[in-house]
Amino acid sequence: EYHHVTLLFYDSIDSHSLLHRFTSLRDLVSRKYLHLKKHPLLSGEGKQAKDVLFLFNGMEKMQLDFRIGASELCSDPNEGLPPSVVVVNLLRKYLLPEASILITTRLSALDCIPQKYVTRYAQIRGFNDPSRQRAYFTSRLLKQSDTAHNQEAQDLVELLYLNLQRESQLAAACFLPSYCWLTCATLHFLRFTNTKAPIRTLTGIYTSFLRLNFGGEVLGTGAGTDMPIQEHQSSLMLYVVRTVGKLAFEGVTYKRTSFSEAELEQWIGGKTKTDEELHQLAMFRTDVLDFFLAPSIESGKSILQDLRENNEKQYVFAVPAMQEYLAALYVVLGENKSALEKLTKKVSVAIGQASEDVNALVNIFSKLIPLRIFAVFNLLKLFPKLYEKISSLNKGSIARTMAAELFHTEDSYNEDVLDQVEQNLVGVHGPQQQQYSERQPFELYPIFMGGLLHYGNRVLLQQLGCSIQSTTVAQITHAIRKYLVRELNKPQPPEELMDLLVLLYEFQNPRLTAEVVTSIRAICLTNIRMTSLKCFILSSVLSCTPASYYLEELDLSSCLLNNDTLQMLCPAFRHTYNLNLQFNTLGPESCSLLRDLLLDPRSVIRSLKLCDNPLMESGVQILVEALPENQSLTNLSLMHTGLGDEGVLDLAKRLQQHRRLQELNVAYNNIGDDAALLLVDACREHPSIQTVHLYLNPLSKVAKQSLYARGVPRSHSGQRVKVLASVTEGTDLSENWRPILNVIRENSSSWDQQHVIQQLKVFLEDLEWGRQQQQSLWKRLHFRRVEKGVRKILKMYRNNLPPSKK
């Protein structure tokens, strides 16, 4: 319809509402587009204006009055008038009548323009074509990801689209483009965070989302237009917090995500009294409420069936995390004050406003007033201090709530909070982890509370009319440290530790982070899916600690680490003595990073466990280049890394150049007799090596007996080297048979079962032969005991084999 337009003028009406001086139409245009001030299409001559389109955004923010007495008629683009009068005359078609005008406004403001001035209404509701919605997701995610992650971004779009096709609650939310933006921003944060991009937080994304949708938005009280605008308009976002935020807080408190219509009425509009409040509520229900709350699509699946006995419609938050964000904002803004605090605040404000006058009078008449009356004045002056004391106690309770919500016992075995957020967006594919509690976990709630205290988020909230005072931040921060440290003195599962790291990252407070982390002696994140974001968080948090701080152990076993994520973690590795990287997907290229880490003078790594990583011979050859110059390593585990004979021979050559190694594990590496014998000879000549692991390698009986014999030192002053090649040592049981069997049992799910079964059968042969050589009944019984343990493991492996291999 507007294909003929040659000049498009766009502006936001809220900028006009702040102008009190007179201005002409040309001046109004030139404020934003200086080069258009003298454009001939705006001259008003002839019908040139037919090619002009004015697009005004947010008409409800300007109080337009179409009465002739209030807005005089004007047809001259150069005549100075109040901005609202200029807009009224454009809509009247009295000024540039040939021009086209498009105006966006809230539904509640439609009646502000007389119907005779409007030719068409259109309500923009969202995506009505799924293909366009998918195109939006694809363009946003592919544009925001670098070329190296294009395939991952495409796979992510597929997973997201599959979830949307399930008629999920997310699909209903993503009908609105705003929630599509939020979904893409969150997924990009979860999947494509890297060290080169600006630092972003999940709280920051949600705060920016609200700033994008509600920045500058106000809620009028319905007062007359003769009043200044600022006197009868209030922050829309603050109204959202006090109504929808209160509902969200009640839901989090009682572990609920769905609400009936009666509950919405109770929490959002139940206490309105004045006409102004009723008018605000009507506008809010019409314009905003549907943005946050939507009818529940999956209401039949909810646990709270008792609320639906009367088939009452249930409402949920459009995005689950929004409930936790608004609840957190409600608490941090202090809207959940106790009755005592509300009373003391009102009294304190009243006394504070009169305090200057009271002090002046007291100073003048202090010599004339009797002592008892003077004491009353002093008591009044002390009342604000009482309020400050009560307020500080409330801030302490906020900190206590954050710690309690973060370390809920029933949430301890849920997946970490970042995985929960991702699953809400792309769904769960494959078997779902068992939930240990039927109650809805709200683990983002305390994390958002911490993130809202960050300065950057407070600035954005200030622009939305939601002010978080610096004193509030200081009081909560001071209180939260002791609660977190106290909880960390208790054993925490890996998922809870990961959530704590996310909380500290969202805080973006290096001093607090350092004080909390330095109370931790070990970080165990085993079985956590360490995405690039989680690796970045771990590295960022540990970078806040002083240079003198070191972890006793950093356990990142079974974390799906690869070369890219390992590179992000390298700064964190400099803060640990014992580094466990077992059961990941680190290949030969990762060995270059590990070599550089061991060569770093700041590195203090004593134990490095790389079991079950496909390092291969080429990777180990790169890794052992660090041995001559490294001065800290005492324990190196290369079990099941594809080492082979060549890798072992290269390792044996390098051993003499490293003087501190005490234990070497090369078990399950397809090492033959000759390579094993050469390695043990090198270890025997080494001044500090005490133990070598060689079990689960295809060694002959003769080689095993020879290895045991070579472990004995050549001289009496020498040190014996323990060689763990089998559960037997010659005709005797190995004193290390129990650790060997424990290692095999622990790795039953990840190792090649056929190979391990074959080695267990060899162990049984060794045990049977050794038992037959024994004369002592007691030793024979001991052999049978170990045989029983081996047969038990063998049966376990056989039961785990796929049916086709039985």
Side-chain angles (χ1 to χ4, degrees):
E1 183 177 344
Y2 298 106
H3 59 274
H4 64 281
V5 171
T6 58
L7 178 61
L8 170 64
F9 171 72
Y10 168 81
D11 202 2
S12 180
I13 290 184
D14 61 338
S15 60
H16 304 161
S17 63
L18 300 177
L19 291 175
H20 300 289
R21 62 183 180 85
F22 282 27
T23 183
S24 67
L25 176 62
R26 284 184 176 274
D27 291 336
L28 203 61
V29 172
S30 65
R31 280 196 312 109
K32 194 167 185 179
Y33 308 100
L34 184 62
H35 61 289
L36 297 179
K37 182 172 184 177
K38 297 183 179 181
H39 199 286
L41 294 182
L42 299 176
S43 64
E45 299 176 359
K47 295 186 177 181
Q48 298 185 72
K50 65 182 177 60
D51 297 327
V52 179
L53 172 63
F54 290 93
L55 177 56
F56 294 119
N57 178 41
M59 186 272 295
E60 72 280 351
K61 299 173 187 175
M62 178 177 284
Q63 302 295 315
L64 301 180
D65 193 341
F66 285 82
R67 295 174 298 176
I68 297 296
S71 301
E72 61 183 277
L73 297 176
C74 171
S75 61
D76 184 2
N78 298 302
E79 182 179 352
L81 292 169
S84 61
V85 176
V86 174
V87 176
V88 165
N89 278 285
L90 280 172
L91 292 171
R92 283 172 174 164
K93 292 295 183 177
Y94 203 80
L95 179 61
L96 300 186
E98 297 82 10
S100 301
I101 304 173
L102 286 176
I103 285 182
T104 66
T105 185
R106 299 184 198 152
L107 284 173
S108 62
L110 286 178
D111 296 336
C112 294
I113 302 178
Q115 198 167 18
K116 64 181 179 180
Y117 297 129
V118 181
T119 58
R120 182 182 305 171
Y121 294 98
Q123 185 176 1
I124 301 174
R125 299 187 62 85
F127 287 112
N128 57 2
D129 184 357
S131 62
R132 296 187 65 183
Q133 184 189 57
R134 181 168 185 170
Y136 175 85
F137 285 126
T138 303
S139 62
R140 288 282 299 181
L141 290 173
L142 289 178
K143 182 180 178 181
Q144 291 180 335
S145 60
D146 53 42
T147 307
H149 293 93
N150 268 354
Q151 185 57 50
E152 184 179 355
Q154 291 174 359
D155 294 341
L156 190 59
V157 171
E158 291 296 327
L159 292 175
L160 175 60
Y161 199 63
L162 284 174
N163 195 33
L164 293 176
Q165 287 179 318
R166 297 172 183 167
E167 299 294 333
S168 64
Q169 200 71 47
L170 178 65
C174 286
F175 184 69
L176 296 177
S178 292
Y179 280 109
C180 293
W181 179 93
L182 179 62
T183 299
C184 289
T186 305
L187 285 175
H188 187 268
F189 170 70
L190 293 171
R191 286 290 190 95
F192 304 117
T193 295
N194 57 64
T195 55
K196 298 178 182 178
I199 292 179
R200 299 203 69 181
T201 63
L202 191 61
T203 313
I205 290 174
Y206 274 76
T207 307
S208 299
F209 170 74
L210 294 177
R211 173 67 178 83
L212 182 67
N213 285 279
F214 298 100
E217 297 286 344
V218 294
L219 197 63
T221 61
T225 55
D226 56 334
M227 294 177 60
I229 293 174
Q230 290 80 1
E231 292 185 14
H232 59 86
Q233 289 184 339
S234 59
S235 164
L236 176 59
M237 192 62 228
L238 188 58
Y239 192 89
V240 168
V241 173
R242 289 172 175 172
T243 53
V244 182
K246 185 177 183 180
L247 178 71
F249 174 72
E250 291 297 322
V252 170
T253 302
Y254 297 104
K255 305 299 181 186
R256 294 182 51 194
T257 58
S258 61
F259 310 91
S260 66
E261 291 181 334
E263 288 170 328
L264 294 188
E265 179 66 29
Q266 174 188 354
W267 294 112
I268 293 178
K271 295 184 179 180
T272 53
K273 297 178 181 179
T274 65
D275 290 343
E276 289 80 6
E277 290 175 334
L278 289 171
H279 181 77
Q280 280 188 329
L281 178 61
M283 292 176 62
F284 179 75
R285 285 183 175 275
T286 303
D287 299 333
V288 182
L289 188 59
D290 290 346
F291 184 82
F292 291 101
L293 293 164
S296 174
I297 293 175
E298 301 178 355
S299 59
K301 300 178 183 180
S302 176
I303 298 172
L304 303 176
Q305 294 294 337
D306 56 320
L307 294 177
R308 300 184 179 85
E309 293 178 354
N310 299 323
N311 295 321
E312 191 173 7
K313 183 184 289 187
Q314 296 291 309
Y315 291 85
V316 297
F317 281 82
V319 174
M322 185 59 72
Q323 178 180 352
E324 298 180 71
Y325 179 91
L326 291 177
L329 185 57
Y330 179 79
V331 172
V332 173
L333 285 176
E335 294 296 329
N336 65 325
K337 298 183 182 73
S338 62
L340 175 62
E341 189 175 5
K342 290 178 181 178
L343 175 64
T344 52
K345 181 177 182 180
K346 291 179 181 179
V347 177
S348 177
V349 169
I351 293 176
Q353 291 173 346
S355 61
E356 294 183 3
D357 296 334
V358 172
N359 286 335
L361 291 172
V362 169
N363 289 334
I364 295 174
F365 297 108
S366 59
K367 296 182 179 179
L368 305 175
I369 296 176
L371 183 60
R372 293 179 181 178
I373 300 178
F374 187 73
V376 173
F377 281 99
N378 283 334
L379 182 61
L380 291 175
K381 290 167 65 179
L382 286 173
F383 199 92
K385 295 183 179 180
L386 174 62
Y387 165 69
E388 291 178 6
K389 180 66 175 177
I390 296 174
S391 178
S392 65
L393 291 175
N394 182 61
K395 304 306 183 296
S397 68
I398 292 176
R400 186 169 57 254
T401 299
M402 290 173 65
E405 291 290 336
L406 188 68
F407 296 107
H408 259 314
T409 305
E410 60 266 28
D411 298 339
S412 296
Y413 298 97
N414 293 338
E415 295 186 1
D416 66 84
V417 67
L418 294 179
D419 277 356
Q420 292 178 37
V421 173
E422 183 172 327
Q423 289 173 7
N424 284 333
L425 297 179
V426 298
V428 180
H429 302 272
Q432 298 189 28
Q433 181 172 335
Q434 179 182 356
Q435 295 295 321
Y436 290 83
S437 172
E438 292 185 350
R439 301 175 71 189
Q440 173 71 26
F442 289 99
E443 296 178 77
L444 267 179
Y445 170 54
I447 291 173
F448 278 142
M449 290 173 69
L452 288 169
L453 302 181
H454 174 48
Y455 176 75
N457 290 322
R458 287 191 286 129
V459 170
L460 291 179
L461 290 171
Q462 181 71 42
Q463 297 171 10
L464 289 169
C466 301
S467 178
I468 302 176
Q469 301 298 326
S470 297
T471 53
T472 300
V473 176
Q475 289 172 345
I476 296 176
T477 303
H478 176 74
I480 188 63
R481 185 192 67 81
K482 67 176 182 180
Y483 290 116
L484 291 179
V485 171
R486 185 177 66 186
E487 290 294 335
L488 287 171
N489 288 329
K490 309 172 187 175
Q492 299 293 341
E495 293 79 8
E496 296 297 293
L497 275 179
M498 189 68 241
D499 291 350
L500 169 68
L501 295 175
V502 174
L503 172 65
L504 294 175
Y505 174 77
E506 292 285 325
F507 256 114
Q508 290 292 301
N509 186 327
R511 181 176 178 180
L512 171 68
T513 299
E515 291 175 348
V516 173
V517 174
T518 49
S519 66
I520 303 175
R521 304 316 306 166
I523 294 180
C524 176
L525 299 177
T526 182
N527 293 317
I528 296 294
R529 185 175 64 97
M530 292 297 290
T531 61
S532 58
L533 172 62
K534 295 175 190 175
C535 293
F536 181 73
I537 288 175
L538 175 59
S539 185
S540 299
V541 167
L542 288 179
S543 68
C544 297
T545 58
S548 58
Y549 169 73
Y550 296 104
L551 287 166
E552 283 296 326
E553 182 179 14
L554 177 58
D555 188 348
L556 296 173
S557 58
S558 302
C559 290
L560 301 179
L561 295 176
N562 55 35
N563 189 60
D564 294 336
T565 51
L566 185 71
Q567 189 169 7
M568 299 179 74
L569 286 168
C570 279
F573 294 159
R574 299 190 182 99
H575 290 271
T576 183
Y577 290 123
N578 301 297
L579 179 59
N580 188 344
L581 298 175
Q582 299 181 123
F583 312 111
N584 287 296
T585 56
L586 305 179
E589 66 279 2
S590 301
C591 291
S592 298
L593 296 172
L594 295 171
R595 176 198 59 194
D596 295 341
L597 175 66
L598 293 175
L599 290 174
D600 190 334
R602 294 171 293 177
S603 175
V604 293
I605 294 177
R606 299 170 183 168
S607 173
L608 178 60
K609 297 180 180 180
L610 297 169
C611 169
D612 273 83
N613 284 287
L615 304 180
M616 313 309 291
E617 293 179 2
S618 58
V620 175
Q621 288 172 355
I622 296 173
L623 179 65
V624 297
E625 292 175 3
L627 292 182
E629 297 184 35
N630 178 268
Q631 299 298 320
S632 62
L633 195 63
T634 60
N635 187 322
L636 178 61
S637 176
L638 298 172
M639 180 169 58
H640 198 208
T641 55
L643 195 56
D645 287 347
E646 292 298 325
V648 167
L649 293 176
D650 193 63
L651 176 61
K653 295 176 183 176
R654 301 274 187 174
L655 283 180
Q656 296 303 322
Q657 300 172 0
H658 182 78
R659 316 301 291 177
R660 302 197 60 182
L661 198 64
Q662 297 177 8
E663 186 170 356
L664 178 64
N665 190 338
V666 290
Y668 196 0
N669 270 302
N670 198 31
I671 300 172
D673 293 353
D674 294 339
L677 293 169
L678 284 172
L679 177 64
V680 172
D681 285 341
C683 292
R684 185 170 56 171
E685 301 299 328
H686 195 277
S688 60
I689 290 182
Q690 301 172 3
T691 307
V692 180
H693 300 255
L694 280 165
Y695 43 87
L696 297 181
N697 285 301
L699 303 174
S700 65
K701 291 183 179 180
V702 175
K704 291 177 185 177
Q705 295 176 10
S706 180
L707 289 172
Y708 170 68
R710 294 194 184 200
V712 179
R714 294 179 178 177
S715 62
H716 294 290
S717 60
Q719 176 176 280
R720 180 185 174 184
V721 177
K722 291 183 181 179
V723 181
L724 280 62
S726 178
V727 291
T728 60
E729 294 177 353
T731 59
D732 293 324
L733 277 173
S734 170
E735 60 183 10
N736 297 291
W737 67 268
R738 196 186 302 275
I740 293 174
L741 295 184
N742 285 339
V743 169
I744 296 174
R745 186 183 295 107
E746 290 168 1
N747 296 282
S748 61
S749 61
S750 59
W751 284 353
D752 178 56
Q753 295 177 335
Q754 292 288 7
H755 176 80
V756 177
I757 286 174
Q758 181 181 355
Q759 291 297 314
L760 288 173
K761 290 179 179 179
V762 173
F763 284 176
L764 285 176
E765 292 176 2
D766 293 343
L767 288 168
E768 290 173 359
W769 181 83
R771 175 166 49 81
Q772 293 171 1
Q773 308 304 313
Q774 296 298 326
Q775 301 297 322
S776 169
L777 177 62
W778 176 254
K779 286 189 176 181
R780 285 186 180 185
L781 291 174
H782 198 186
F783 267 87
R784 286 194 179 278
R785 178 188 171 193
V786 179
E787 283 183 51
K788 184 178 178 180
V790 174
R791 292 185 189 278
K792 185 176 180 180
I793 298 175
L794 186 60
K795 182 180 179 181
M796 178 184 66
Y797 268 87
R798 283 173 172 166
N799 290 338
N800 288 335
L801 283 174
S804 60
K805 295 184 180 181
K806 283 186 178 179

